[in-house]
Amino acid sequence: MPVHVRTLDLPGPGGAPAGRMALLTLDSGDPRRPFTLGPATLPELGAAIERAERLVLDEGLVAIGVTGANGVFCAGADLKAVARTPSPEEAAATGALGHAVLGRLATTTVPTFAYVNGLALGGGLETALHCSYRTVSTAARGLGLPEAHLGLVPGWGGTWLLPRIAGPDVAVQVAIENALAGNKTITGPQAARLGIADAAFEPADFLLQSLRWTASVLAGESVVERPGPADEATWAAALARGRAVADARVHGAAPAPYRTLDLLAASRTAGREEHFAAEEAALGDLLVSGELRAGLYAFDLVQRYAKAPAGAPAPELARKVTCVGVVGAGLMASQLALLFLHRLKVPVVLTDVDQARVDKGVDFVRSGVEELLGKGRIDADTANRLKASVSGSVDKAALGGADFVVEAVFEDLAVKQDVLRELEPLVRPDAVLATNTSSLPVTEMASVLQHPERLVGFHFFNPVAVLPLVEVVRTPSTDDAALATAFAVGRSLGKTCVLVRDAPAFVVNRISTRMFDEVVRALDAGTPLLEVERSLDELGLPMTPFRLASFVGPAVMLHVHETLAAAFPERYRVSDNLRRWVAAGGPDLVTRKGPVEETGAAEGLFTTGSQPLSGPEVLARVQDALADEVRRVLDDGVVAGPQDVDVCLVLGTGHPLFTGGITPYLDRVGASERVTGRRFHPAD
């Protein structure tokens, strides 16, 4: 059975027994797979709780505890089983089963204790919330309620229990703000500070300390004080904050965050059983929705690609990297240098054309190390070692000892060719050369090298420390050793790598630029700026089109448009209005934060037509353009399949999970068949 039940003595003062308790251990039976809750394991957990309750009656046990195995408490619901839910009625029944089983932890005749030894997501955290008390390991990572991120609600008591235990502010933070911030989770110490856990102990003797604490609670020596019910103003402020976050993240396009907020609001006055019925009704609606199916598809993809990138060469072909060189010391190059230094913990050398730029880049990296120290992500000794391990030079010969050298200079083909031509004879014969180009042909860069097989595209996304995607670009000459090394480095950096063939703008920028091109066409035709900005709300993108363009930089957008217009003039063009915007210095056209409003900078800047489009018309044109370009990317063999496209867009630009990245959404709205005559995925 995956749930083991044993009895043990609680250690009292001086080691004397302080009563016996039943301890349930959630164990998948396979150290490689975390314990999850589903149609098979929920009844087994229910049977284990029933056995513990009998032991309480028969043997006079004083408490029941629950913990996990192999550094995992419980990873939540079995998502594969969730994806197979056939009907709303079955979905609601799944909710009812979870409430019935986990709810027994709150209704037993003795106190219950959750000993959260590690990962506790979704139903895993809800399992702990049903218990009377909770301890957590200080080493625990991955605690949270990610359901709104996937297209669900916390449906096994979370929206009723968490506000009562830790208050509405914490409930909104965990279930909405963190969930919609790319499934951000919290640590054990954070759970204790937020009031979700009652005590935190070091991992070395976590269970022993938890049992001692249990004995002290039962003896009345340790008293857990929890905040009383929050007042109406606190509730209103927390819910308003959560709604603002949902609006900013998904723009009303996905129901799950709003259903979660509705449930949190109702929990203030609803009784337990009434509220659990409301959670079950929400699950009945959401478990069979297209958004959830797309979300689970994308979530599974991202998890799989993070572990084993599709098409990557055998890992053993990768060369060892003990020193990294970065050519360039501008903002992007300095961000890369900091990432390499922090993650790989090897010497990093920056070069640039003059000493002032080099010094500025090195100072940026060292300041970044200080920030990591200030945030507690590294200790003082590590910070000192890292700061001593970064250096700079105006002489590229300083890169002679590097095993992996990435150029991140100005986005101009001739400039990059000159850099690579100069660099090649200065570095080791077996050093891998990488280019961080966002759209230029890597094959043409390789053409100036004596050994083009060592060059690989290594395209990061800005901000480098945040966005987890790297497009690894293979040219016809790139050998498996260089490619394997790039994948190994990317993995060590904590990035997800996707293999792409060398083609104009690769995947993310090519598809995103096709979308923005349609947006600009609508503006050129005379569609009001705010109408254009709001037209894509259904896609739930993290930024509206012109906010994103301002963030990336209008000059960068123009450069990519020029690259793609040269490669595919029948589909891409360079708008005169885009040129005017760049020539004017690229001022913000809309506000950077909060509700989208015009800044006034667009007034008199653009020349537009007299045939404006409606918001739905703009959306339809964008949908059709996306379907067309994704199909062309696939037909051109830039990537192996639609799954690669979806991973790229989720991780590279923040396309939400509820669209599946993009291809399930295009199938769902009919754009795939409307434009290309076929779907990207088989119909259910």
Side-chain angles (χ1 to χ4, degrees), residues 145 158-179 186 190-191 193-196 227-243 245 260-261 264-265 267-268:
L145 297 175
T159 61
W160 192 81
L161 292 164
L162 187 53
R164 280 169 164 70
I165 292 169
D169 276 319
V170 171
V172 167
Q173 176 185 335
V174 172
I176 298 296
E177 292 176 313
N178 288 0
I186 61 174
Q190 288 172 324
R193 286 197 297 270
L194 292 172
I196 297 173
D231 59 30
E232 185 174 350
T234 301
W235 269 99
L239 293 169
R241 192 179 79 248
R243 190 162 296 276
V245 169
T260 301
L261 284 165
L264 287 172
S267 73
R268 185 181 175 216

Short mmCIF file of all heavy atoms in Angstrom, two decimals, residues 145 158-179 186 190-191 193-196 227-243 245 260-261 264-265 267-268:
data_model
loop_
_atom_site.label_atom_id
_atom_site.label_comp_id
_atom_site.label_asym_id
_atom_site.label_seq_id
_atom_site.Cartn_x
_atom_site.Cartn_y
_atom_site.Cartn_z
N LEU A 145 -0.58 26.31 -3.74
CA LEU A 145 -1.85 25.93 -4.35
C LEU A 145 -1.82 26.43 -5.80
O LEU A 145 -2.22 27.55 -6.08
CB LEU A 145 -3.03 26.56 -3.59
CG LEU A 145 -3.21 26.12 -2.14
CD1 LEU A 145 -4.34 26.91 -1.47
CD2 LEU A 145 -3.49 24.62 -2.04
N GLY A 158 -9.15 23.79 0.25
CA GLY A 158 -8.15 24.84 0.39
C GLY A 158 -8.71 26.24 0.49
O GLY A 158 -8.20 27.07 1.24
N THR A 159 -9.76 26.54 -0.28
CA THR A 159 -10.29 27.91 -0.26
C THR A 159 -11.08 28.21 1.01
O THR A 159 -11.35 29.38 1.30
CB THR A 159 -11.19 28.17 -1.49
OG1 THR A 159 -12.30 27.26 -1.47
CG2 THR A 159 -10.41 28.02 -2.78
N TRP A 160 -11.44 27.21 1.76
CA TRP A 160 -12.14 27.42 3.04
C TRP A 160 -11.15 27.38 4.21
O TRP A 160 -11.24 28.18 5.14
CB TRP A 160 -13.21 26.35 3.23
CG TRP A 160 -14.18 26.62 4.35
CD1 TRP A 160 -15.27 27.44 4.32
CD2 TRP A 160 -14.15 26.06 5.67
NE1 TRP A 160 -15.93 27.43 5.52
CE2 TRP A 160 -15.27 26.58 6.38
CE3 TRP A 160 -13.30 25.17 6.31
CZ2 TRP A 160 -15.54 26.23 7.70
CZ3 TRP A 160 -13.57 24.82 7.63
CH2 TRP A 160 -14.69 25.35 8.31
N LEU A 161 -10.19 26.47 4.13
CA LEU A 161 -9.27 26.25 5.26
C LEU A 161 -8.18 27.31 5.35
O LEU A 161 -7.90 27.83 6.43
CB LEU A 161 -8.63 24.87 5.13
CG LEU A 161 -9.57 23.68 5.31
CD1 LEU A 161 -8.92 22.40 4.78
CD2 LEU A 161 -9.93 23.50 6.78
N LEU A 162 -7.54 27.64 4.22
CA LEU A 162 -6.39 28.52 4.29
C LEU A 162 -6.73 29.91 4.83
O LEU A 162 -5.99 30.44 5.67
CB LEU A 162 -5.72 28.63 2.91
CG LEU A 162 -4.40 29.39 2.87
CD1 LEU A 162 -3.40 28.85 3.88
CD2 LEU A 162 -3.80 29.35 1.46
N PRO A 163 -7.83 30.55 4.42
CA PRO A 163 -8.15 31.86 5.01
C PRO A 163 -8.39 31.78 6.51
O PRO A 163 -8.10 32.73 7.24
CB PRO A 163 -9.42 32.29 4.28
CG PRO A 163 -9.54 31.43 3.09
CD PRO A 163 -8.80 30.17 3.39
N ARG A 164 -8.94 30.66 6.98
CA ARG A 164 -9.21 30.51 8.41
C ARG A 164 -7.92 30.29 9.21
O ARG A 164 -7.81 30.71 10.35
CB ARG A 164 -10.17 29.33 8.66
CG ARG A 164 -11.61 29.71 8.40
CD ARG A 164 -12.54 28.51 8.38
NE ARG A 164 -13.92 28.97 8.51
CZ ARG A 164 -14.58 29.63 7.56
NH1 ARG A 164 -13.97 29.89 6.42
NH2 ARG A 164 -15.83 30.03 7.74
N ILE A 165 -6.96 29.62 8.60
CA ILE A 165 -5.72 29.31 9.30
C ILE A 165 -4.75 30.49 9.26
O ILE A 165 -4.14 30.85 10.27
CB ILE A 165 -5.06 28.06 8.68
CG1 ILE A 165 -5.92 26.82 8.99
CG2 ILE A 165 -3.63 27.87 9.18
CD1 ILE A 165 -5.52 25.58 8.23
N ALA A 166 -4.59 31.10 8.08
CA ALA A 166 -3.56 32.12 7.91
C ALA A 166 -4.10 33.48 7.50
O ALA A 166 -3.33 34.44 7.39
CB ALA A 166 -2.54 31.65 6.87
N GLY A 167 -5.41 33.59 7.27
CA GLY A 167 -5.99 34.87 6.92
C GLY A 167 -6.16 35.07 5.42
O GLY A 167 -5.51 34.40 4.62
N PRO A 168 -7.02 35.98 5.01
CA PRO A 168 -7.31 36.19 3.59
C PRO A 168 -6.12 36.72 2.80
O PRO A 168 -5.98 36.40 1.62
CB PRO A 168 -8.47 37.19 3.60
CG PRO A 168 -8.40 37.87 4.93
CD PRO A 168 -7.87 36.84 5.87
N ASP A 169 -5.26 37.53 3.42
CA ASP A 169 -4.08 38.04 2.69
C ASP A 169 -3.20 36.89 2.22
O ASP A 169 -2.77 36.85 1.06
CB ASP A 169 -3.26 38.97 3.58
CG ASP A 169 -3.80 40.39 3.59
OD1 ASP A 169 -4.18 40.87 2.51
OD2 ASP A 169 -3.84 41.01 4.65
N VAL A 170 -2.92 35.96 3.12
CA VAL A 170 -2.07 34.83 2.77
C VAL A 170 -2.78 33.92 1.76
O VAL A 170 -2.16 33.41 0.81
CB VAL A 170 -1.70 34.04 4.04
CG1 VAL A 170 -0.99 32.73 3.67
CG2 VAL A 170 -0.81 34.88 4.94
N ALA A 171 -4.08 33.73 1.95
CA ALA A 171 -4.83 32.88 1.01
C ALA A 171 -4.78 33.44 -0.40
O ALA A 171 -4.57 32.70 -1.37
CB ALA A 171 -6.28 32.74 1.48
N VAL A 172 -4.96 34.74 -0.55
CA VAL A 172 -4.89 35.37 -1.88
C VAL A 172 -3.47 35.29 -2.43
O VAL A 172 -3.26 35.02 -3.62
CB VAL A 172 -5.38 36.83 -1.81
CG1 VAL A 172 -5.01 37.59 -3.08
CG2 VAL A 172 -6.88 36.87 -1.58
N GLN A 173 -2.49 35.49 -1.56
CA GLN A 173 -1.10 35.41 -2.01
C GLN A 173 -0.78 34.02 -2.57
O GLN A 173 -0.20 33.89 -3.66
CB GLN A 173 -0.14 35.72 -0.85
CG GLN A 173 1.33 35.56 -1.22
CD GLN A 173 2.26 35.74 -0.04
OE1 GLN A 173 1.91 36.42 0.94
NE2 GLN A 173 3.43 35.13 -0.08
N VAL A 174 -1.16 32.99 -1.85
CA VAL A 174 -0.78 31.62 -2.24
C VAL A 174 -1.62 31.12 -3.41
O VAL A 174 -1.10 30.54 -4.37
CB VAL A 174 -0.92 30.67 -1.03
CG1 VAL A 174 -0.72 29.22 -1.45
CG2 VAL A 174 0.09 31.06 0.05
N ALA A 175 -2.93 31.34 -3.35
CA ALA A 175 -3.83 30.74 -4.35
C ALA A 175 -3.97 31.56 -5.62
O ALA A 175 -4.34 31.01 -6.66
CB ALA A 175 -5.21 30.52 -3.73
N ILE A 176 -3.67 32.87 -5.55
CA ILE A 176 -3.83 33.73 -6.73
C ILE A 176 -2.49 34.33 -7.16
O ILE A 176 -2.00 34.07 -8.26
CB ILE A 176 -4.84 34.86 -6.47
CG1 ILE A 176 -6.22 34.27 -6.18
CG2 ILE A 176 -4.91 35.80 -7.67
CD1 ILE A 176 -6.85 33.52 -7.33
N GLU A 177 -1.90 35.14 -6.31
CA GLU A 177 -0.68 35.85 -6.72
C GLU A 177 0.44 34.87 -7.08
O GLU A 177 1.06 35.00 -8.14
CB GLU A 177 -0.22 36.79 -5.60
CG GLU A 177 -1.17 37.96 -5.38
CD GLU A 177 -0.75 38.82 -4.20
OE1 GLU A 177 -0.46 38.27 -3.13
OE2 GLU A 177 -0.72 40.05 -4.37
N ASN A 178 0.72 33.92 -6.21
CA ASN A 178 1.79 32.97 -6.50
C ASN A 178 1.43 32.06 -7.66
O ASN A 178 2.26 31.77 -8.52
CB ASN A 178 2.13 32.13 -5.26
CG ASN A 178 2.85 32.94 -4.19
OD1 ASN A 178 3.11 34.12 -4.36
ND2 ASN A 178 3.14 32.30 -3.07
N ALA A 179 0.20 31.58 -7.65
CA ALA A 179 -0.21 30.65 -8.71
C ALA A 179 -0.11 31.29 -10.08
O ALA A 179 0.35 30.66 -11.05
CB ALA A 179 -1.64 30.17 -8.46
N ILE A 186 6.27 28.45 -2.22
CA ILE A 186 6.94 28.97 -1.03
C ILE A 186 7.77 27.87 -0.40
O ILE A 186 7.60 26.68 -0.69
CB ILE A 186 5.95 29.56 -0.01
CG1 ILE A 186 4.96 28.49 0.47
CG2 ILE A 186 5.20 30.75 -0.61
CD1 ILE A 186 4.04 28.97 1.58
N GLN A 190 9.12 30.04 4.87
CA GLN A 190 8.08 31.01 4.50
C GLN A 190 6.71 30.56 4.98
O GLN A 190 5.91 31.37 5.43
CB GLN A 190 8.08 31.20 2.98
CG GLN A 190 9.27 31.97 2.45
CD GLN A 190 9.34 31.98 0.93
OE1 GLN A 190 9.00 31.00 0.27
NE2 GLN A 190 9.77 33.10 0.36
N ALA A 191 6.44 29.27 4.87
CA ALA A 191 5.16 28.75 5.35
C ALA A 191 4.99 29.00 6.84
O ALA A 191 3.89 29.32 7.31
CB ALA A 191 5.06 27.25 5.04
N ARG A 193 6.46 31.48 8.56
CA ARG A 193 6.29 32.93 8.77
C ARG A 193 4.89 33.38 8.39
O ARG A 193 4.32 34.29 9.02
CB ARG A 193 7.33 33.70 7.94
CG ARG A 193 8.74 33.63 8.49
CD ARG A 193 9.62 34.70 7.89
NE ARG A 193 9.78 34.55 6.45
CZ ARG A 193 10.74 33.83 5.88
NH1 ARG A 193 11.61 33.18 6.64
NH2 ARG A 193 10.84 33.77 4.57
N LEU A 194 4.31 32.75 7.39
CA LEU A 194 2.97 33.15 6.94
C LEU A 194 1.86 32.58 7.82
O LEU A 194 0.69 32.93 7.64
CB LEU A 194 2.75 32.69 5.49
CG LEU A 194 3.59 33.40 4.43
CD1 LEU A 194 3.42 32.72 3.07
CD2 LEU A 194 3.21 34.88 4.33
N GLY A 195 2.22 31.70 8.73
CA GLY A 195 1.21 31.11 9.61
C GLY A 195 0.55 29.87 9.04
O GLY A 195 -0.41 29.34 9.62
N ILE A 196 1.04 29.38 7.91
CA ILE A 196 0.48 28.15 7.34
C ILE A 196 0.96 26.95 8.15
O ILE A 196 0.21 26.01 8.38
CB ILE A 196 0.90 28.02 5.86
CG1 ILE A 196 0.33 29.19 5.04
CG2 ILE A 196 0.45 26.69 5.27
CD1 ILE A 196 0.83 29.25 3.62
N PRO A 227 -4.45 33.80 14.32
CA PRO A 227 -5.20 35.06 14.27
C PRO A 227 -6.70 34.80 14.25
O PRO A 227 -7.17 33.80 13.72
CB PRO A 227 -4.74 35.71 12.96
CG PRO A 227 -4.25 34.56 12.13
CD PRO A 227 -3.66 33.58 13.09
N GLY A 228 -7.43 35.70 14.85
CA GLY A 228 -8.88 35.59 14.80
C GLY A 228 -9.39 35.95 13.41
O GLY A 228 -8.63 36.31 12.52
N PRO A 229 -10.71 35.87 13.22
CA PRO A 229 -11.28 36.19 11.91
C PRO A 229 -10.92 37.61 11.48
O PRO A 229 -10.97 38.55 12.28
CB PRO A 229 -12.78 36.04 12.14
CG PRO A 229 -12.91 35.13 13.33
CD PRO A 229 -11.73 35.45 14.19
N ALA A 230 -10.53 37.75 10.21
CA ALA A 230 -10.18 39.06 9.68
C ALA A 230 -11.43 39.91 9.54
O ALA A 230 -12.53 39.41 9.31
CB ALA A 230 -9.49 38.92 8.33
N ASP A 231 -11.27 41.23 9.65
CA ASP A 231 -12.42 42.11 9.52
C ASP A 231 -12.77 42.32 8.04
O ASP A 231 -12.03 41.92 7.13
CB ASP A 231 -12.18 43.44 10.22
CG ASP A 231 -10.97 44.19 9.67
OD1 ASP A 231 -10.64 44.05 8.47
OD2 ASP A 231 -10.33 44.92 10.45
N GLU A 232 -13.88 42.97 7.83
CA GLU A 232 -14.40 43.14 6.46
C GLU A 232 -13.43 43.92 5.59
O GLU A 232 -13.25 43.60 4.40
CB GLU A 232 -15.75 43.85 6.51
CG GLU A 232 -16.42 43.95 5.16
CD GLU A 232 -17.83 44.54 5.25
OE1 GLU A 232 -18.33 44.67 6.39
OE2 GLU A 232 -18.41 44.84 4.20
N ALA A 233 -12.78 44.93 6.14
CA ALA A 233 -11.86 45.75 5.35
C ALA A 233 -10.67 44.92 4.88
O ALA A 233 -10.20 45.07 3.74
CB ALA A 233 -11.39 46.94 6.16
N THR A 234 -10.16 44.06 5.75
CA THR A 234 -9.02 43.21 5.38
C THR A 234 -9.41 42.26 4.26
O THR A 234 -8.66 42.05 3.30
CB THR A 234 -8.52 42.43 6.60
OG1 THR A 234 -8.12 43.36 7.62
CG2 THR A 234 -7.35 41.54 6.24
N TRP A 235 -10.60 41.67 4.40
CA TRP A 235 -11.09 40.77 3.35
C TRP A 235 -11.23 41.52 2.03
O TRP A 235 -10.79 41.04 0.98
CB TRP A 235 -12.44 40.19 3.77
CG TRP A 235 -12.34 38.90 4.51
CD1 TRP A 235 -12.40 38.72 5.86
CD2 TRP A 235 -12.15 37.60 3.95
NE1 TRP A 235 -12.27 37.40 6.18
CE2 TRP A 235 -12.12 36.69 5.02
CE3 TRP A 235 -12.02 37.13 2.65
CZ2 TRP A 235 -11.95 35.31 4.83
CZ3 TRP A 235 -11.84 35.75 2.45
CH2 TRP A 235 -11.81 34.86 3.52
N ALA A 236 -11.85 42.68 2.07
CA ALA A 236 -12.10 43.44 0.84
C ALA A 236 -10.79 43.81 0.16
O ALA A 236 -10.66 43.70 -1.07
CB ALA A 236 -12.91 44.69 1.15
N ALA A 237 -9.81 44.23 0.94
CA ALA A 237 -8.52 44.62 0.36
C ALA A 237 -7.81 43.43 -0.26
O ALA A 237 -7.23 43.54 -1.36
CB ALA A 237 -7.64 45.27 1.43
N ALA A 238 -7.83 42.29 0.42
CA ALA A 238 -7.16 41.10 -0.10
C ALA A 238 -7.81 40.63 -1.40
O ALA A 238 -7.13 40.32 -2.39
CB ALA A 238 -7.20 39.98 0.94
N LEU A 239 -9.14 40.59 -1.42
CA LEU A 239 -9.85 40.13 -2.62
C LEU A 239 -9.67 41.10 -3.78
O LEU A 239 -9.53 40.69 -4.94
CB LEU A 239 -11.33 39.92 -2.31
CG LEU A 239 -11.62 38.78 -1.32
CD1 LEU A 239 -13.07 38.83 -0.87
CD2 LEU A 239 -11.31 37.43 -1.97
N ALA A 240 -9.66 42.40 -3.48
CA ALA A 240 -9.44 43.39 -4.54
C ALA A 240 -8.04 43.24 -5.12
O ALA A 240 -7.85 43.35 -6.34
CB ALA A 240 -9.64 44.80 -3.98
N ARG A 241 -7.07 42.97 -4.25
CA ARG A 241 -5.72 42.77 -4.74
C ARG A 241 -5.65 41.52 -5.63
O ARG A 241 -5.02 41.54 -6.69
CB ARG A 241 -4.77 42.61 -3.54
CG ARG A 241 -3.31 42.66 -3.91
CD ARG A 241 -2.41 42.53 -2.68
NE ARG A 241 -2.28 41.16 -2.24
CZ ARG A 241 -2.76 40.65 -1.11
NH1 ARG A 241 -3.45 41.43 -0.28
NH2 ARG A 241 -2.58 39.39 -0.79
N GLY A 242 -6.31 40.47 -5.20
CA GLY A 242 -6.32 39.25 -6.00
C GLY A 242 -6.99 39.44 -7.34
O GLY A 242 -6.51 38.94 -8.37
N ARG A 243 -8.09 40.20 -7.36
CA ARG A 243 -8.78 40.44 -8.64
C ARG A 243 -7.93 41.28 -9.57
O ARG A 243 -7.90 41.05 -10.78
CB ARG A 243 -10.13 41.11 -8.38
CG ARG A 243 -11.04 41.17 -9.60
CD ARG A 243 -12.48 41.43 -9.21
NE ARG A 243 -13.03 40.34 -8.43
CZ ARG A 243 -13.55 39.23 -8.96
NH1 ARG A 243 -13.58 39.08 -10.27
NH2 ARG A 243 -14.05 38.30 -8.19
N VAL A 245 -4.68 41.28 -9.68
CA VAL A 245 -3.65 40.39 -10.20
C VAL A 245 -4.23 39.52 -11.30
O VAL A 245 -3.61 39.34 -12.37
CB VAL A 245 -3.07 39.53 -9.07
CG1 VAL A 245 -2.19 38.41 -9.64
CG2 VAL A 245 -2.26 40.39 -8.11
N THR A 260 -11.74 30.89 -8.16
CA THR A 260 -10.99 30.77 -6.91
C THR A 260 -11.27 31.97 -6.01
O THR A 260 -11.50 31.82 -4.80
CB THR A 260 -9.48 30.66 -7.20
OG1 THR A 260 -9.24 29.52 -8.02
CG2 THR A 260 -8.68 30.54 -5.90
N LEU A 261 -11.25 33.16 -6.59
CA LEU A 261 -11.54 34.36 -5.80
C LEU A 261 -12.97 34.34 -5.27
O LEU A 261 -13.21 34.74 -4.12
CB LEU A 261 -11.32 35.60 -6.66
CG LEU A 261 -9.85 35.99 -6.89
CD1 LEU A 261 -9.73 36.98 -8.02
CD2 LEU A 261 -9.25 36.56 -5.61
N LEU A 264 -12.95 32.01 -2.31
CA LEU A 264 -12.31 32.64 -1.16
C LEU A 264 -13.25 33.65 -0.51
O LEU A 264 -13.37 33.71 0.72
CB LEU A 264 -11.01 33.32 -1.58
CG LEU A 264 -9.84 32.39 -1.92
CD1 LEU A 264 -8.68 33.20 -2.50
CD2 LEU A 264 -9.37 31.62 -0.69
N ALA A 265 -13.93 34.44 -1.34
CA ALA A 265 -14.86 35.44 -0.79
C ALA A 265 -15.99 34.76 -0.02
O ALA A 265 -16.39 35.21 1.06
CB ALA A 265 -15.41 36.30 -1.92
N SER A 267 -15.93 31.96 1.47
CA SER A 267 -15.49 31.23 2.66
C SER A 267 -15.62 32.05 3.93
O SER A 267 -15.62 31.49 5.03
CB SER A 267 -14.03 30.78 2.48
OG SER A 267 -13.15 31.89 2.59
N ARG A 268 -15.73 33.35 3.79
CA ARG A 268 -15.82 34.19 4.99
C ARG A 268 -17.06 33.87 5.82
O ARG A 268 -17.02 33.91 7.05
CB ARG A 268 -15.82 35.67 4.57
CG ARG A 268 -15.78 36.60 5.77
CD ARG A 268 -15.81 38.06 5.37
NE ARG A 268 -15.89 38.88 6.57
CZ ARG A 268 -16.57 40.01 6.67
NH1 ARG A 268 -17.23 40.47 5.62
NH2 ARG A 268 -16.59 40.69 7.80
#
